[in-house]
Amino acid sequence: DPDMPFVPSIPEDQFILVEEGDPTVIPCRTSDPSAQVTLMDSLDKAVFAFYDSKQGFIGNFPAGSYTCKTMVKGVEFKSDEFLIYILRATSQLPVEIEALKTVYKTGETIVVTCVVFDNEVVNLQWNYPGKVKEKGLIKLDDIKVPSQKLVYTLTIPEASVKDTGDYECTARHATKEVKENKKVVITVHEKGFIHLEPQFSPLEAVNLHEVKNFVVDVQ
């Protein structure tokens, strides 16, 4: 089609997510297989890469915006703009689970954090006693500096004794068959308590002017 040298692209094709170091395709396809196509970067400079009219330009491209252009009977046509985003995704999946404390009283707020390091391409799921009732509030912080880490925070407001149990996060690599899970045990008591262990007998004898220490272990 001389009036439509580039096959129209859908919006999903214009945003290209690629893992760091992986090749990708910029899908500016032509309706004329013999068309001469040039790939341009955001500075309008030509980028040299292998071109396949059925797929587009294939190669390792830096993050940024790209446009394809071609000439038909002396008229220049430009494709839609394609945006490439580079995602950090290591083959390993370092995960840590953190809890400020593991023993709570009824009514307190439980907070458990799961941190995924050096990876942006992750699916993470929580398993905890109140999950069926969807009691937990989940927040994600994507931290880039000084290093990449995804911080998933699970908050359980107004904890009860039923919230006692295993709190587990499972991280799955979005493109590789890699998963990692971590667990912490949380205990919720009906109320606070103090446990005393006296280190002396119910009846103690003391001599006149004697100094004697009475020791109690308090937990």
Side-chain angles (χ1 to χ4, degrees), residues 59-92:
N60 291 79
F61 303 105
S65 64
Y66 295 85
T67 308
C68 304
K69 70 178 182 179
T70 189
M71 299 285 290
V72 178
K73 296 179 182 179
V75 179
E76 183 180 275
F77 288 85
K78 286 188 175 182
S79 72
D80 293 322
E81 183 183 37
F82 297 92
L83 297 172
I84 292 181
Y85 296 90
I86 305 297
L87 299 176
R88 182 168 177 80
T90 57
S91 57
Q92 302 298 316

Coordinates of all heavy atoms in Angstrom, one line a residue, residues 59-92:
G59 N 17.9 -6.6 17.2 CA 19.3 -6.3 17.8 C 19.2 -6.0 19.3 O 18.1 -6.1 19.9
N60 N 20.3 -5.6 19.8 CA 20.4 -5.1 21.2 C 20.4 -3.6 21.2 O 21.4 -3.0 20.7 CB 21.7 -5.6 21.9 CG 21.7 -7.1 22.1 OD1 21.9 -7.9 21.2 ND2 21.4 -7.5 23.3
F61 N 19.3 -3.0 21.6 CA 19.2 -1.6 21.6 C 19.2 -1.0 23.0 O 18.6 -1.6 23.9 CB 17.9 -1.2 20.8 CG 17.7 -1.8 19.5 CD1 16.9 -2.9 19.3 CD2 18.4 -1.3 18.4 CE1 16.7 -3.5 18.0 CE2 18.3 -1.8 17.1 CZ 17.4 -2.9 16.9
P62 N 19.8 0.2 23.1 CA 19.7 0.9 24.4 C 18.3 1.4 24.6 O 17.5 1.5 23.7 CB 20.7 2.1 24.2 CG 21.5 1.8 23.0 CD 20.7 0.9 22.2
A63 N 18.0 1.7 25.9 CA 16.7 2.2 26.2 C 16.5 3.6 25.5 O 17.4 4.3 25.3 CB 16.5 2.4 27.7
G64 N 15.3 3.8 25.1 CA 15.0 5.1 24.4 C 13.9 5.0 23.4 O 13.2 3.9 23.3
S65 N 13.7 6.0 22.6 CA 12.6 6.0 21.6 C 13.2 5.8 20.2 O 14.3 6.4 19.9 CB 11.8 7.3 21.7 OG 12.6 8.4 21.4
Y66 N 12.5 5.1 19.4 CA 13.0 4.8 18.0 C 11.8 5.0 17.0 O 10.7 4.7 17.4 CB 13.5 3.4 17.9 CG 14.7 3.1 18.8 CD1 14.6 2.8 20.1 CD2 16.0 3.3 18.3 CE1 15.7 2.6 20.9 CE2 17.1 3.0 19.1 CZ 17.0 2.7 20.4 OH 18.1 2.5 21.2
T67 N 12.2 5.4 15.8 CA 11.2 5.6 14.7 C 11.8 5.0 13.5 O 13.0 5.1 13.2 CB 10.9 7.1 14.5 OG1 10.5 7.7 15.8 CG2 9.7 7.2 13.5
C68 N 11.0 4.4 12.6 CA 11.4 3.9 11.4 C 11.0 4.8 10.2 O 9.9 5.4 10.3 CB 10.9 2.5 11.1 SG 11.3 1.3 12.4
K69 N 11.8 4.9 9.2 CA 11.3 5.8 8.1 C 11.7 5.1 6.7 O 12.6 4.3 6.7 CB 11.9 7.2 8.1 CG 13.4 7.3 7.9 CD 13.8 8.8 7.9 CE 15.3 8.9 7.6 NZ 15.7 10.3 7.7
T70 N 10.9 5.4 5.7 CA 11.1 4.8 4.4 C 10.7 5.9 3.3 O 9.9 6.8 3.7 CB 10.4 3.5 4.2 OG1 10.8 2.9 3.0 CG2 8.9 3.7 4.2
M71 N 11.1 5.6 2.1 CA 10.7 6.5 1.0 C 9.8 5.8 0.0 O 10.1 4.6 -0.4 CB 11.9 7.1 0.3 CG 12.9 7.9 1.2 SD 12.3 9.5 1.5 CE 12.4 10.3 -0.1
V72 N 8.7 6.4 -0.4 CA 7.8 5.8 -1.4 C 7.6 6.9 -2.5 O 7.0 7.9 -2.2 CB 6.5 5.3 -0.8 CG1 5.6 4.8 -1.9 CG2 6.7 4.3 0.2
K73 N 8.2 6.7 -3.7 CA 8.0 7.6 -4.8 C 8.4 9.0 -4.4 O 7.7 10.0 -4.7 CB 6.6 7.6 -5.3 CG 6.1 6.3 -5.9 CD 4.7 6.3 -6.4 CE 4.3 5.0 -6.9 NZ 2.9 5.0 -7.4
G74 N 9.5 9.1 -3.7 CA 10.1 10.4 -3.3 C 9.4 11.0 -2.1 O 9.8 12.1 -1.7
V75 N 8.5 10.3 -1.5 CA 7.8 10.9 -0.3 C 8.3 10.1 1.0 O 8.3 8.8 0.9 CB 6.3 10.8 -0.4 CG1 5.6 11.3 0.9 CG2 5.8 11.5 -1.6
E76 N 8.7 10.8 2.0 CA 9.2 10.1 3.2 C 8.0 9.8 4.1 O 7.1 10.7 4.4 CB 10.2 11.0 3.9 CG 10.8 10.4 5.2 CD 11.8 11.3 5.9 OE1 13.0 11.2 5.5 OE2 11.4 12.0 6.8
F77 N 8.0 8.6 4.7 CA 7.0 8.2 5.6 C 7.7 7.7 6.9 O 8.8 7.1 6.9 CB 6.2 7.0 5.1 CG 5.2 7.4 4.0 CD1 5.7 7.4 2.7 CD2 3.9 7.7 4.3 CE1 4.8 7.7 1.7 CE2 3.0 8.0 3.3 CZ 3.4 8.0 2.0
K78 N 7.1 8.1 8.0 CA 7.6 7.6 9.3 C 6.6 6.7 10.0 O 5.4 6.9 9.9 CB 7.9 8.8 10.2 CG 9.2 9.6 9.8 CD 9.5 10.7 10.9 CE 10.8 11.4 10.5 NZ 11.2 12.4 11.6
S79 N 7.2 5.7 10.8 CA 6.4 4.8 11.5 C 6.0 5.5 12.8 O 6.4 6.6 13.2 CB 7.1 3.5 11.8 OG 8.1 3.8 12.8
D80 N 5.2 4.8 13.6 CA 4.9 5.2 15.0 C 6.2 5.2 15.8 O 7.2 4.5 15.4 CB 3.8 4.3 15.6 CG 2.5 4.4 15.0 OD1 2.1 5.5 14.6 OD2 1.8 3.3 14.8
E81 N 6.2 5.9 16.9 CA 7.3 5.9 17.8 C 7.3 4.6 18.7 O 6.2 4.2 19.2 CB 7.3 7.1 18.7 CG 8.5 7.2 19.6 CD 8.4 8.4 20.5 OE1 7.3 8.8 21.0 OE2 9.5 9.1 20.7
F82 N 8.4 4.0 18.8 CA 8.6 2.8 19.7 C 9.5 3.1 20.9 O 10.5 3.7 20.7 CB 9.2 1.6 18.9 CG 8.3 1.2 17.7 CD1 8.5 1.7 16.5 CD2 7.3 0.2 17.9 CE1 7.7 1.3 15.4 CE2 6.5 -0.2 16.9 CZ 6.7 0.4 15.6
L83 N 9.0 2.7 22.1 CA 9.8 3.1 23.3 C 10.3 1.8 23.9 O 9.5 0.8 24.2 CB 8.9 3.8 24.3 CG 8.3 5.1 23.9 CD1 7.3 5.6 24.8 CD2 9.5 6.1 23.7
I84 N 11.6 1.7 24.1 CA 12.3 0.5 24.7 C 12.6 0.8 26.1 O 13.2 1.8 26.5 CB 13.5 0.1 23.9 CG1 13.1 -0.4 22.5 CG2 14.3 -0.9 24.7 CD1 14.3 -0.8 21.7
Y85 N 12.2 -0.1 27.0 CA 12.5 0.0 28.4 C 13.4 -1.2 28.8 O 13.0 -2.3 28.5 CB 11.3 0.0 29.3 CG 10.4 1.2 29.1 CD1 9.4 1.2 28.2 CD2 10.5 2.3 29.9 CE1 8.5 2.3 28.0 CE2 9.7 3.4 29.7 CZ 8.7 3.4 28.8 OH 7.9 4.5 28.6
I86 N 14.5 -0.9 29.4 CA 15.4 -2.0 29.8 C 15.2 -2.4 31.3 O 15.2 -1.5 32.2 CB 16.9 -1.6 29.7 CG1 17.2 -1.1 28.3 CG2 17.8 -2.7 30.1 CD1 17.1 -2.2 27.2
L87 N 14.9 -3.7 31.5 CA 14.6 -4.1 32.9 C 15.8 -5.0 33.4 O 16.3 -5.8 32.7 CB 13.3 -5.0 32.9 CG 12.0 -4.3 32.4 CD1 10.9 -5.3 32.4 CD2 11.7 -3.2 33.4
R88 N 16.1 -4.7 34.6 CA 17.2 -5.5 35.3 C 16.6 -6.9 35.7 O 15.6 -6.9 36.4 CB 17.8 -4.8 36.4 CG 19.0 -5.5 37.1 CD 19.7 -4.6 38.1 NE 20.8 -5.4 38.7 CZ 21.9 -5.6 38.2 NH1 22.2 -5.3 37.0 NH2 22.9 -6.3 38.9
A89 N 17.2 -8.0 35.3 CA 16.7 -9.3 35.7 C 17.8 -10.3 35.7 O 18.3 -10.8 34.7 CB 15.6 -9.7 34.7
T90 N 18.4 -10.5 36.9 CA 19.5 -11.5 37.0 C 18.9 -12.9 37.0 O 17.7 -13.1 37.3 CB 20.2 -11.2 38.3 OG1 19.3 -11.3 39.4 CG2 20.9 -9.9 38.3
S91 N 19.7 -13.9 36.7 CA 19.3 -15.3 36.7 C 19.0 -15.8 38.1 O 18.2 -16.7 38.3 CB 20.3 -16.2 36.0 OG 21.6 -16.1 36.6
Q92 N 19.7 -15.2 39.1 CA 19.5 -15.5 40.5 C 18.3 -14.7 41.0 O 17.9 -13.7 40.4 CB 20.7 -15.3 41.3 CG 21.9 -16.1 40.8 CD 21.7 -17.6 40.9 OE1 21.2 -18.1 41.9 NE2 22.1 -18.3 39.9

